[in-house]
Amino acid sequence: MHDAGRPSPGPLSEVAALFLKLGFVAFGGPAAHIALMRDEVVKRRRWVTEQQFLVRYGSTPEATWLLYGIKPVSIAVVVQAIWALAKTAVKGRLLAAVGALVLVLYAAGFNEIVLMIGGGLLVMAARHGWRLQRPPRVLALVPIVGAPALPAVAGAAVDPVSLFLVFLKIGAVLYGSGYVLLAFLRNDFVVRLGWLTDQQLIDAVAVGQLTPGPVFTTATFIGYVGGGTSGAALATVAIFLPSFVFVAIIRPIVPRLRESAWMSAFLDGVTVAAIGLMLAVTWQLGRSAVVDWPSAGLALAATVRLLRWRINSVWLIAGGAVAGAIVHWFGR
């Protein structure tokens, strides 16, 4: 029976129209879909109570078991991306040592922006410091490539301005690979601001793997979790905006950048620093994704298949979801 004082669900056309709308706007994977449905059918239309909704969605593992299988595979996809990048970027002992140093210092709590710029400057100094009589002109571009961080906005409450500024900062300083984003997200949202846990961050990464497009779609999902649809839009605009600005500024001088031995050394150092950051944050997030023997087996199997046979990661992610369903079916 329907609760007194609670509106009954509308006609079939209204229900169909609602879920048609959700089908168009519900980006972000199962967790976001459930959140949107709750907002529509519990809070706005009051078709069901919170308890009824929990019985249907909250206490059943539709999203949970999907993510259970997808998260270990997502970690494997990141490992494969790091391996492919490292084979190209780590050219010699100097770069390998810088990458290892950055990994250790990040694990010790050093800021990722300082480590990336420091890695670039260290390689630059090691290769060309002995020739330095006057600062080369190209060094003036370092503040552009590694734009300074905006002031930190502390506090646990998520507000739109803070959300926009944090993602604007990340978009301005991110370099090396889309997966370097994970280090920045963890440092800002988990460690510094406390808006997310490691578990929520790896959930966001898994959802980003579910959706088409770049890894940056993870930012869209985090924006949605923190601020709803408007938060998702703000996060997306903020993280992409600096790229458009920097391309417009740097495009006329790209030929000079390519010819500069100094800038080449700097970018080599930043790239291996980014690899060190990715390795460190992958280890940290992996501890949240790999929670038992089945998930460890999934992560290992996916990593081996990606590195040895180069299977399309989309199929592996789908397989991870199926494996999660099977584990759930047998009671884990």
Side-chain angles (χ1 to χ4, degrees):
M1 293 187 62
H2 206 74
D3 292 351
R6 179 172 295 277
S8 298
L12 183 60
S13 60
E14 185 179 353
V15 176
L18 168 61
F19 282 95
L20 180 64
K21 183 189 81 170
L22 291 178
F24 278 107
V25 303
F27 297 99
H33 298 171
I34 291 173
L36 280 171
M37 284 190 285
R38 177 183 174 275
D39 185 63
E40 290 285 353
V41 303
V42 178
K43 297 174 67 176
R44 293 185 59 189
R45 289 172 170 80
R46 301 178 65 232
W47 286 349
V48 297
T49 65
E50 191 79 55
Q51 184 60 39
Q52 289 171 328
F53 185 83
L54 288 173
V55 169
R56 289 170 172 81
Y57 300 106
S59 61
T60 55
E62 281 89 350
T64 302
W65 56 253
L66 278 175
L67 291 176
Y68 170 84
I70 291 171
K71 286 186 288 188
V73 177
S74 297
I75 294 295
V77 171
V78 176
V79 169
Q80 189 267 342
I82 295 172
W83 175 252
L85 183 60
K87 288 194 296 183
T88 302
V90 182
K91 299 170 288 189
R93 295 180 181 177
L94 171 63
L95 294 177
V98 170
L101 177 63
V102 168
L103 187 156
V104 171
L105 292 178
Y106 179 78
F110 280 73
N111 180 272
E112 70 280 358
I113 299 172
V114 173
L115 289 175
M116 289 183 69
I117 296 177
L121 293 176
L122 182 60
V123 173
M124 183 190 296
R127 287 183 180 174
H128 306 294
W130 61 275
R131 298 191 303 179
L132 185 61
Q133 296 179 352
R134 61 184 180 87
R137 293 179 182 178
V138 76
L139 287 185
L141 296 175
V142 170
I144 295 177
V145 177
L150 296 173
V153 184
V158 180
D159 67 273
V161 174
S162 300
L163 190 69
F164 184 83
L165 290 179
V166 170
F167 276 112
L168 187 69
K169 180 198 74 172
I170 292 173
V173 300
L174 188 60
Y175 175 85
S177 166
Y179 291 107
V180 183
L181 174 68
L182 306 184
F184 286 83
L185 292 177
R186 187 177 186 277
N187 185 66
D188 276 321
F189 290 102
V190 177
V191 177
R192 186 170 66 87
L193 297 173
W195 290 352
L196 298 174
T197 64
D198 274 335
Q199 186 65 50
Q200 289 171 320
L201 180 56
I202 192 61
D203 286 348
V205 174
V207 169
Q209 297 288 350
L210 276 172
T211 55
V215 181
F216 276 20
T217 54
T218 300
T220 304
F221 179 75
I222 292 175
Y224 177 80
V225 171
T229 305
S230 61
L234 282 173
T236 304
V237 170
I239 201 167
F240 282 103
L241 180 61
S243 298
F244 290 94
V245 176
F246 290 165
V247 167
I249 294 174
I250 295 177
R251 187 180 64 83
I253 53 177
V254 165
R256 291 183 59 191
L257 290 178
R258 290 176 176 171
E259 295 170 1
S260 169
W262 290 89
M263 184 54 72
S264 176
F266 177 78
L267 294 178
D268 283 347
V270 172
T271 300
V272 294
I275 292 172
L277 289 175
M278 286 189 286
L279 282 172
V281 79
T282 300
W283 170 256
Q284 292 167 335
L285 294 180
R287 290 183 297 176
S288 296
V290 179
V291 295
D292 51 22
W293 286 109
S295 59
L298 272 174
L300 180 61
T303 302
V304 170
R305 288 184 177 276
L306 282 169
L307 293 179
R308 186 168 182 179
W309 290 290
R310 297 182 181 179
I311 295 174
N312 190 316
S313 59
V314 173
W315 295 111
L316 280 179
I317 290 169
V322 172
I326 293 172
V327 170
H328 167 68
W329 181 264
F330 285 101
R332 191 148 59 94

